[in-house]
Amino acid sequence: MDDMGISENLDHRNKLMGTFSTLFNKEELSDIKLVVNRKLILKAHRFILTVHSDVFKSMLDTKRWTDSKDHNVHLTEEENCLSHFQDFLRYLYSGTVSLSTENVLPLHILSEKYNIQELKESSQSFMLANVASPGTCNQAITWHKYAKLVGLGQLEEECLRYITWNISTVIESPDWMLLEPHQLSALLQMSDMVVEDEVVLFQALVRWLSLHPSHTEEMLSHVRYPMMPPEKLFDLLVPGRLPKDISSYLLRESLLVYQAHVLPMEALGQRNDISATPFIMRIYTSQSYSQPWDILRYQMMNKDTLGRSLSTRHFHLKTQWNVTYSPKGQQHYDYRYGAYNSVACEDDFATLTVRLTTCEPADQSHSHRMSIVLYHCVNGQWFACDVKTLEVPHKENATIKDLIPLSERDKYISDDTMKLHLIGQTIWHKHE
């Protein structure tokens, strides 16, 4: 036994925190009232507020607090924060709150304003982890706008990637109609957007313009009309289907659409710059340009090489692609010492190789690129999470040595399935 005698450490922090939580919005020992936007009144305790927040500490300094005599603290918050302020205040008493896609942004705004560091960091982490969410509750557009405003660089980048590669989900969200003109203009000018075809994007734009008619000419100028399938354009031009000003604009562009799908590119290039933006393909997932590839029973696979062929058509150009992929790496034999003494070799590189087997006509007017969209599954729904591109020369193999590194592979597997989408793209060169 030492000179200090017998000792025992007590840890009653949870009990003390539980005691504090029972004081939330209670009259007992309350010494102030928070009046939020002149609508919400909550009883509070100066001690708890000032311990958690240096902003509240400064605000409740009796020398600065103009309403100290009647114990009222008037707060002005953003309107979307009002319905979540009670949860924010409860967090200061209990240290607990349930985050959701609905409340996380208001809670981040409040924690930023009152410098509640732990809640601010947890809210930001929640948004980063949930950028990919179903269309009805997706807030990538709102979060992107906020992240850019307050300087959350990583969140801004994640939201922009998600929006660009999952536009078909985003256009179904309530957020789509809230896009600001400069956001939509920048989005429409992107060539790395993953979308079914140009008509799907055009129809989403028409819906947005119903609330923002003053931007009609500006936004319609960013649509890539030559990329529209003529049969879908024909349906769009049915009388009465579109607002008159949009229909008139589309009718003016329709001649170029039909010319692009009827005339040889050599003839079209004599009057148009076919290397310009209107003729540049986005990452279109319609069957004219692409093919999905579901790799099933991944866990039971050996180090096999799988093959897939796809045909694409861009204007008059028909292209046949051959793709091989080794999802788990490759196994091969070293025959330097003869067949009977061959040595089995293997690696873990998920190698993907592409070759053009047919391109008509195969000339110098164009080149080819393959985009591979990679998906991951979130709450039972698949979202595009990465896009790899590969320049594919005529009559040569093009290879991505390791499409998905071994250390990252698990995030692309769900229900023993890996999902890819192969998109064949043609890049036209300026006519000389």
Side-chain angles (χ1 to χ4, degrees):
M1 184 181 301
D2 58 31
D3 293 338
M4 298 298 293
I6 298 172
S7 66
E8 179 183 357
N9 291 325
L10 299 179
D11 187 351
H12 296 157
R13 285 174 293 182
N14 290 338
K15 182 175 177 60
L16 288 173
M17 183 58 76
T19 301
F20 287 145
S21 66
T22 62
L23 297 175
F24 170 70
N25 202 24
K26 292 292 195 305
E27 189 72 49
E28 182 182 0
L29 302 179
S30 171
D31 53 0
I32 58 173
K33 288 182 180 178
L34 301 181
V35 183
V36 188
N37 292 11
R38 300 185 181 277
K39 298 176 183 178
L40 177 66
I41 300 176
L42 296 167
K43 301 176 185 66
H45 304 76
R46 289 180 61 192
F47 168 72
I48 290 179
L49 298 185
T50 56
V51 163
H52 286 292
S53 168
D54 56 357
V55 177
F56 274 124
K57 184 176 182 179
S58 176
M59 183 185 302
L60 297 176
D61 186 323
T62 53
K63 295 179 182 179
R64 304 179 187 180
W65 182 16
T66 56
D67 297 320
S68 59
K69 292 182 180 179
D70 62 4
H71 304 289
N72 288 336
V73 180
H74 291 274
L75 303 176
T76 302
E77 310 298 346
E78 293 187 26
E79 201 60 34
N80 66 326
C81 292
L82 181 62
S83 60
H84 302 286
F85 191 90
Q86 191 163 330
D87 288 338
F88 169 72
L89 186 62
R90 184 185 286 109
Y91 172 84
L92 300 185
Y93 281 77
S94 66
T96 63
V97 66
S98 295
L99 296 177
S100 68
T101 53
E102 180 183 0
N103 72 7
V104 67
L105 183 56
L107 289 175
H108 190 281
I109 292 171
L110 291 168
S111 61
E112 175 81 30
K113 177 177 178 180
Y114 294 103
N115 196 26
I116 311 299
Q117 194 65 27
E118 293 82 2
L119 181 57
K120 181 168 65 173
E121 291 174 358
S122 296
S123 299
Q124 184 177 344
S125 296
F126 180 91
M127 286 189 282
L128 280 169
N130 292 278
V131 170
S133 56
T136 53
C137 61
N138 187 273
Q139 303 220 20
I141 289 172
T142 295
W143 292 355
H144 176 261
K145 177 183 175 183
Y146 175 72
K148 189 171 185 177
L149 180 67
V150 301
L152 299 177
Q154 187 180 0
L155 180 61
E156 180 186 349
E157 291 175 9
E158 287 296 323
C159 288
L160 183 57
R161 271 195 291 266
Y162 176 83
I163 294 167
T164 307
W165 295 338
N166 295 274
I167 194 69
S168 296
T169 299
V170 173
I171 61 179
E172 297 301 325
S173 73
D175 256 14
W176 174 254
M177 301 302 285
L178 301 178
L179 262 174
E180 294 192 358
H182 72 274
Q183 287 180 294
L184 182 56
S185 177
L187 191 61
L188 291 173
Q189 295 177 64
M190 291 181 176
S191 295
D192 59 345
M193 181 191 297
V194 178
V195 64
E196 181 181 345
D197 61 29
E198 199 70 15
V199 170
V200 169
L201 190 59
F202 175 81
Q203 291 172 321
L205 175 58
V206 170
R207 285 196 294 113
W208 185 89
L209 288 172
S210 67
L211 296 183
H212 308 83
S214 62
H215 294 278
T216 297
E217 289 278 336
E218 174 194 354
M219 297 304 167
L220 289 178
S221 69
H222 297 312
V223 176
R224 303 183 182 185
Y225 296 98
M227 305 308 304
M228 286 184 166
E231 63 277 9
K232 290 191 175 184
L233 172 66
F234 183 76
D235 290 338
L236 287 174
L237 289 172
V238 171
R241 183 164 184 176
L242 296 171
K244 188 174 180 180
D245 54 345
I246 297 177
S247 181
S248 298
Y249 193 106
L250 184 59
L251 188 61
R252 293 198 302 271
E253 297 290 339
S254 64
L255 177 60
L256 179 58
V257 178
Y258 291 122
Q259 287 177 337
H261 288 81
V262 172
L263 297 174
M265 291 304 291
E266 183 179 357
L268 193 67
Q270 292 176 1
R271 298 186 183 179
N272 300 274
D273 180 1
I274 58 175
S275 66
T277 300
F279 294 89
I280 295 176
M281 297 179 66
R282 304 185 201 270
I283 304 177
Y284 296 121
T285 60
S286 72
Q287 65 181 41
S288 297
Y289 307 105
S290 73
Q291 187 176 113
W293 193 357
D294 292 356
I295 298 170
L296 308 176
R297 294 185 286 278
Y298 177 87
Q299 299 300 336
M300 299 182 66
M301 290 181 62
N302 296 317
K303 293 194 172 183
D304 301 320
T305 297
L306 308 177
R308 181 59 59 98
S309 296
L310 66 149
S311 298
T312 62
R313 182 185 180 98
H314 186 209
F315 302 141
H316 285 286
L317 186 69
K318 297 178 182 178
T319 307
Q320 187 77 23
W321 310 72
N322 185 61
V323 182
T324 58
Y325 180 46
S326 306
K328 286 191 168 184
Q330 294 177 305
Q331 185 177 74
H332 59 277
Y333 289 89
D334 187 340
Y335 293 104
R336 285 181 295 175
Y337 304 104
Y340 294 105
N341 296 312
S342 60
V343 178
C345 304
E346 61 180 50
D347 61 48
D348 291 316
F349 297 122
T351 303
L352 184 137
T353 300
V354 182
R355 185 177 180 85
L356 299 175
T357 57
T358 306
C359 176
E360 298 176 358
D363 54 35
Q364 301 302 312
S365 65
H366 63 278
S367 55
H368 296 279
R369 176 188 300 132
M370 173 153 284
S371 291
I372 303 97
V373 182
L374 308 176
Y375 293 83
H376 69 161
C377 191
V378 179
N379 298 324
Q381 187 167 342
W382 291 89
F383 298 97
C385 64
D386 202 357
V387 177
K388 304 289 181 70
T389 59
L390 185 60
E391 303 297 327
V392 185
H394 290 102
K395 300 179 182 179
E396 294 181 31
N397 288 345
T399 299
I400 296 177
K401 179 65 176 177
D402 203 5
L403 184 70
I404 307 174
L406 181 61
S407 60
E408 301 176 14
R409 232 162 271 172
D410 284 349
K411 81 173 185 177
Y412 297 95
I413 308 297
S414 179
D415 197 22
D416 213 13
T417 300
M418 176 186 288
K419 283 183 177 286
L420 313 177
H421 210 124
L422 309 173
I423 295 94
Q425 297 171 284
T426 298
I427 301 95
W428 296 101
H429 302 158
K430 191 169 184 177
H431 181 72
E432 297 297 338

